[in-house]
Amino acid sequence: MSVQSTLPNQPETQISDSFTPERIQKILEVALLTAQEPLPITELRKLFNHELSTAVLSKFLHRIREKWNDSGIELVTVASGWRFQSSTDMQPYLDRLTPPKTPRYSRAVLETLAIIAYRQPVTRGDIEEIRGVSVSSMVLKTLTTRGWIETVGHRNAPGKPALFATTEHFLNALNLRTLDELPPLEEMKSLVESGGESQQLPLQQPAAPDY
Amino acid sequence: MSVQSTLPNQPETQISDSFTPERIQKILEVALLTAQEPLPITELRKLFNHELSTAVLSKFLHRIREKWNDSGIELVTVASGWRFQSSTDMQPYLDRLTPPKTPRYSRAVLETLAIIAYRQPVTRGDIEEIRGVSVSSMVLKTLTTRGWIETVGHRNAPGKPALFATTEHFLNALNLRTLDELPPLEEMKSLVESGGESQQLPLQQPAAPDY
Amino acid sequence: MDLVIDSPDPHPIARVCGKPLLEIPQDLYIPPHALEVFLDTFQGPLDLLLYLIRKHNLNILDIPMAELTQQYMSYVDMMRMEQLELAAEYLLMTALLIEIKSRMLLPNPKTLAEEEHDPRAELVQRLLEYEQMKKAALRLNELPQAERDFTLVQVLIKHEEIVTLLPDISIDDLREAWITVLTRTKVNRHHQVKRETLSVRAFMSQVLRDLRAHNQLEFYDLFSPTATITEVVVTFLAILELAKELLLEISQSRDSGIIYVRSINAAQPT
């Protein structure tokens, strides 16, 4: 049972809510420029006390995207919503200010990430099976700490191994909206070329992942 | 052995450093929009490999300030440099996205308040004796300023200590009509004595107050 | 160096004792002096096998198994020191290859069913899947990445404190605080907390408040005309308690005369 705030006047009542198109665009821009996280349209509707529809806001967002085109800043949609970010051609300049802080990941980390991204949910054992080597805890910790993978459950098998999947944050970081936008898996060319016997191998491509 | 990036992330030498005024302005804006901290001009000069003077950059910054005028975002100078920030008139909208968080009182404040509520009128010494620790003046001041406690008299004892009691405003704030509506002491006494640690106390809701 | 595996050749793949190692051996044999480099270069036996097959058209069937086994065995001791697990994985791979080869050498009546159980199939399947994931890892790494290839826009929100928010509390907060106090008191037994009914306490405060305004009041004035019997009793108890605590003074100049109640305002000299 929480006590109501006794504060006299909430800001709500003080906003004059005459939303001209210019004003709507301005408010959207300020919200997106100051947001800490990508903002979904449902969230952006709060700016206008839900008075504007998703469709209307979507039109405005596209207009804003146009406006910022070629400014070195772009408005993009990622998994969790809309956000402003610098365009990639600006990064070399930004790196002059702050030396790149993100580590380049080792092959072990990248391969583990790829397996989790494309085959999720997978256990550590699954990853080891595919890579043919054991996966160090450090690798999984690196990805977990970055917020790119998380445990989504446990397989009902001896030892109840954790099942890993990629996070929404991972999609955001790579500018993706859904896992479908990951680069498609390549068909691998047969391992045994033109050898007589080898062609008889009943090779199948790995089952297409179902996401 | 780490994997080298095959990214469009180019080394310094590949930046075309022909700085047209438009390009300079663009780079400055991107840097300021993405910076975590205010950027002093000395820092901004790094963007252009120190090829542009402080005076030139300063002129550009003022031009940018003009450009952003009335956009809901303003370019300002603070002690440590230049930064973009939302303008005050935008705050009501931004507050709709992230309602300001209500602060919480410390344990010391809450316990002191509880003691005054249940044991009033009490002196600071009484409170200290019950809590087993000294009560800082800040705690009493917090509660007095809030209008929740007041001095109702002084005990005829050495030092003539002030006697504190709760106010009507306190009752209002808690939606109570009288102090009787606070959870009764006896109930709690048995709770305390039946349980060991307070964490294990089988807490019940207080008798339903009828408001 | 974009993965040794895919690099166009002339670069040394590694340096061993200062000397460039220009070529990777053509089979699974690892020169002892390059052992560590190898363990670092390849992600494991699958990776190495894949490399050999892709780059040198090594036929899984043509691997000189006996020789290889011998060489591998001689490294076991060496690897055991630091990378036992990895050594085991290489050995396991070798064992698998040997098994495959031996099974292939056995007379094998060609039936459809048998073909489906070609011992190479599973290995090749694994190799293909691993290769696919390796490629996927590269593609993934080529995607623009936040903080590496672009930076998020972060404009500060200016917070003018229009209203200072004050903390709210609930009865539960208060109750919890009180229970904490009581529990602690119970733990430190030397603190005796008197437990009285709350209403007496509340009325004690009220009486003091009334007296603060007037300094001296007639006894009857301390009782609200609309008070219930309980309230009257409690007020009376409150007055007695205050008197006991020397917070007020009750006086009567003569029998059956007016009873005055005066606060002993300790703050001001009377």
Side-chain angles (χ1 to χ4, degrees):
Chain A
M1 119 195 67
S2 97
V3 175
Q4 288 302 306
S5 156
T6 53
L7 290 175
N9 38 9
Q10 296 305 321
E12 286 295 316
T13 51
Q14 300 183 349
I15 304 176
S16 82
D17 275 352
S18 61
F19 294 130
T20 63
E22 293 71 34
R23 191 152 175 82
I24 293 170
Q25 183 162 330
K26 177 174 164 178
I27 294 170
L28 283 173
E29 282 180 333
V30 172
L32 288 162
L33 286 168
T34 55
Q36 307 265 353
E37 297 288 329
L39 294 172
I41 290 194
T42 48
E43 189 70 13
L44 290 169
R45 291 190 65 213
K46 288 188 193 165
L47 289 167
F48 310 99
N49 280 336
H50 301 276
E51 286 168 30
L52 301 180
S53 71
T54 306
V56 166
L57 288 186
S58 175
K59 207 173 279 176
F60 272 100
L61 289 166
H62 284 91
R63 192 188 294 178
I64 294 172
R65 172 140 72 183
E66 286 285 295
K67 175 191 156 188
W68 283 77
N69 205 11
D70 202 36
S71 68
I73 298 286
E74 47 200 40
L75 183 61
V76 298
T77 23
V78 293
S80 355
W82 294 74
R83 75 164 174 225
F84 276 115
Q85 63 190 36
S86 66
S87 44
T88 47
D89 60 322
M90 286 291 120
Q91 196 60 30
Y93 296 102
L94 300 179
D95 285 344
R96 289 178 178 175
L97 290 185
T98 41
K101 44 212 169 277
T102 335
R104 310 269 149 165
Y105 288 128
S106 69
R107 274 186 62 192
V109 171
L110 286 172
E111 289 181 11
T112 302
L113 179 62
I115 292 167
I116 296 173
Y118 286 93
R119 297 268 182 260
Q120 58 189 298
V122 288
T123 64
R124 185 167 170 163
D126 298 336
I127 301 166
E128 292 177 339
E129 176 75 21
I130 293 175
R131 296 191 63 229
V133 279
S134 64
V135 172
S136 82
S137 298
M138 270 311 296
V139 166
L140 291 170
K141 204 177 154 215
T142 300
L143 291 168
T144 312
T145 310
R146 185 82 196 264
W148 283 4
I149 64 166
E150 62 182 345
T151 306
V152 291
H154 295 264
R155 181 169 294 159
N156 197 6
K160 308 273 175 223
L163 285 163
F164 296 99
T166 53
T167 61
E168 191 166 286
H169 185 67
F170 160 76
L171 293 175
N172 290 343
L174 297 186
N175 262 354
L176 305 172
R177 275 171 301 187
T178 67
L179 282 175
D180 287 334
E181 293 183 353
L182 282 174
L185 286 178
E186 293 168 50
E187 298 280 309
M188 294 299 126
K189 62 177 180 193
S190 164
L191 275 176
V192 220
E193 277 131 75
S194 66
E197 297 169 65
S198 47
Q199 249 123 14
Q200 296 160 12
L201 290 179
L203 289 184
Q204 298 150 330
Q205 287 300 316
D210 48 352
Y211 47 77
Chain B
M1 197 162 300
S2 83
V3 177
Q4 288 297 310
S5 145
T6 48
L7 284 172
N9 196 3
Q10 299 307 334
E12 292 287 319
T13 52
Q14 295 190 6
I15 303 176
S16 88
D17 274 356
S18 61
F19 295 130
T20 63
E22 293 72 34
R23 192 153 176 81
I24 294 171
Q25 182 162 329
K26 178 173 163 179
I27 295 171
L28 282 173
E29 283 179 333
V30 172
L32 288 162
L33 284 169
T34 55
Q36 308 268 345
E37 298 290 329
L39 294 171
I41 291 196
T42 49
E43 188 71 10
L44 289 168
R45 291 191 65 215
K46 289 188 193 165
L47 289 167
F48 310 98
N49 280 335
H50 300 278
E51 284 169 30
L52 302 179
S53 70
T54 307
V56 167
L57 287 187
S58 175
K59 207 173 279 175
F60 272 99
L61 289 166
H62 284 90
R63 193 187 294 177
I64 295 172
R65 172 140 73 186
E66 285 287 295
K67 176 190 155 189
W68 283 77
N69 202 14
D70 202 35
S71 67
I73 299 285
E74 53 201 19
L75 184 61
V76 296
T77 23
V78 292
S80 42
W82 292 77
R83 76 162 175 227
F84 276 115
Q85 64 183 30
S86 63
S87 48
T88 314
D89 60 321
M90 286 291 119
Q91 201 186 332
Y93 297 101
L94 299 178
D95 284 346
R96 289 178 179 177
L97 290 186
T98 43
K101 282 211 183 73
T102 320
R104 279 189 64 79
Y105 281 128
S106 69
R107 215 176 100 174
V109 170
L110 283 174
E111 287 185 13
T112 303
L113 181 61
I115 291 167
I116 296 173
Y118 282 103
R119 308 282 306 135
Q120 58 189 289
V122 287
T123 64
R124 182 168 169 167
D126 297 337
I127 300 167
E128 290 178 340
E129 183 162 343
I130 295 173
R131 288 195 67 221
V133 282
S134 68
V135 171
S136 83
S137 299
M138 270 313 295
V139 167
L140 291 169
K141 202 178 155 215
T142 300
L143 291 168
T144 312
T145 313
R146 186 77 197 260
W148 283 358
I149 65 166
E150 62 180 344
T151 307
V152 291
H154 293 263
R155 180 170 292 154
N156 197 6
K160 314 288 180 205
L163 285 161
F164 296 101
T166 54
T167 62
E168 196 164 292
H169 184 65
F170 162 78
L171 292 177
N172 291 339
L174 268 76
N175 263 349
L176 301 173
R177 280 169 307 185
T178 71
L179 279 175
D180 285 334
E181 291 182 354
L182 281 176
L185 277 180
E186 286 310 306
E187 178 193 320
M188 290 198 289
K189 175 186 168 190
S190 59
L191 279 178
V192 171
E193 282 173 358
S194 66
E197 298 296 300
S198 56
Q199 282 84 353
Q200 299 163 4
L201 290 178
L203 290 183
Q204 298 152 332
Q205 288 302 313
D210 48 352
Y211 47 78
Chain C
M1 173 183 51
D2 173 81
L3 306 191
V4 169
I5 291 80
D6 293 330
S7 64
D9 272 336
H11 306 288
I13 61 145
R15 289 183 179 271
V16 178
C17 307
K19 283 188 215 155
L21 184 66
L22 276 164
E23 55 182 65
I24 280 187
Q26 310 278 310
D27 56 26
L28 284 177
Y29 170 72
I30 302 175
H33 60 278
L35 184 62
E36 267 190 42
V37 176
F38 255 73
L39 297 181
D40 282 346
T41 306
F42 293 100
Q43 293 293 300
L46 272 184
D47 198 16
L48 176 59
L49 192 54
L50 196 57
Y51 169 81
L52 293 170
I53 292 170
R54 284 286 186 226
K55 282 288 170 193
H56 296 285
N57 294 317
L58 181 85
N59 188 330
I60 301 180
L61 297 181
D62 287 346
I63 302 167
M65 294 294 177
E67 192 191 339
L68 185 69
T69 313
Q70 226 170 13
Q71 287 161 346
Y72 267 39
M73 292 308 287
S74 65
Y75 298 146
V76 175
D77 287 335
M78 222 184 302
M79 291 201 240
R80 190 182 279 154
M81 304 303 290
E82 283 175 34
Q83 314 221 36
L84 180 59
E85 221 173 336
L86 196 56
E89 280 153 0
Y90 276 93
L91 282 174
L92 190 66
M93 176 59 69
T94 313
L96 180 65
L97 292 172
I98 291 170
E99 192 209 340
I100 290 173
K101 184 150 190 177
S102 59
R103 282 171 62 185
M104 294 301 290
L105 290 173
L106 291 176
N108 202 354
K110 285 226 163 173
T111 69
L112 203 69
E114 284 298 323
E115 243 179 66
E116 276 167 5
H117 287 95
D118 187 316
R120 293 168 297 174
E122 195 203 349
L123 177 60
V124 173
Q125 180 77 31
R126 281 187 65 194
L127 283 167
L128 281 179
E129 179 165 30
Y130 176 59
E131 189 180 34
Q132 194 177 38
M133 284 303 140
K134 250 178 67 166
K135 287 264 162 61
L138 283 177
R139 297 290 95 80
L140 214 53
N141 197 36
E142 282 165 12
L143 292 179
Q145 209 180 88
E147 288 167 58
R148 189 186 65 183
D149 307 305
F150 59 86
T151 308
L152 303 185
V153 167
Q154 181 61 84
V155 172
L156 187 83
I157 295 182
K158 187 164 97 184
H159 268 296
E160 292 273 298
E161 292 298 329
I162 296 173
V163 282
T164 325
L165 281 183
L166 291 170
D168 284 333
I169 67 160
S170 67
I171 291 186
D172 288 341
D173 291 335
L174 203 62
R175 171 191 154 98
E176 209 171 287
W178 183 240
I179 288 179
T180 311
V181 170
L182 289 190
T183 311
R184 200 166 50 225
T185 315
K186 184 191 157 214
V187 176
N188 310 327
R189 261 302 170 195
H190 54 281
H191 291 130
Q192 283 296 321
V193 176
K194 287 171 287 175
R195 297 190 177 91
E196 304 159 47
T197 58
L198 183 59
S199 40
V200 174
R201 289 273 146 197
F203 277 85
M204 283 166 70
S205 291
Q206 191 50 49
V207 168
L208 284 178
R209 251 185 225 107
D210 292 346
L211 287 172
R212 186 179 53 188
H214 302 91
N215 195 28
Q216 175 167 303
L217 279 177
E218 283 189 30
F219 182 71
Y220 301 110
D221 291 338
L222 289 170
F223 296 86
S224 160
T226 56
T228 63
I229 293 194
T230 320
E231 279 167 3
V232 170
V233 171
V234 171
T235 307
F236 184 62
L237 288 173
I239 294 169
L240 292 181
E241 185 64 29
L242 285 168
K244 193 177 95 189
E245 292 185 15
L246 299 180
L247 288 169
L248 50 78
E249 195 177 75
I250 305 168
S251 56
Q252 188 179 33
S253 45
R254 55 185 173 81
D255 278 356
S256 312
I258 301 170
I259 302 173
Y260 289 101
V261 179
R262 205 161 69 93
S263 131
I264 303 177
N265 198 335
Q268 300 157 359
T270 36

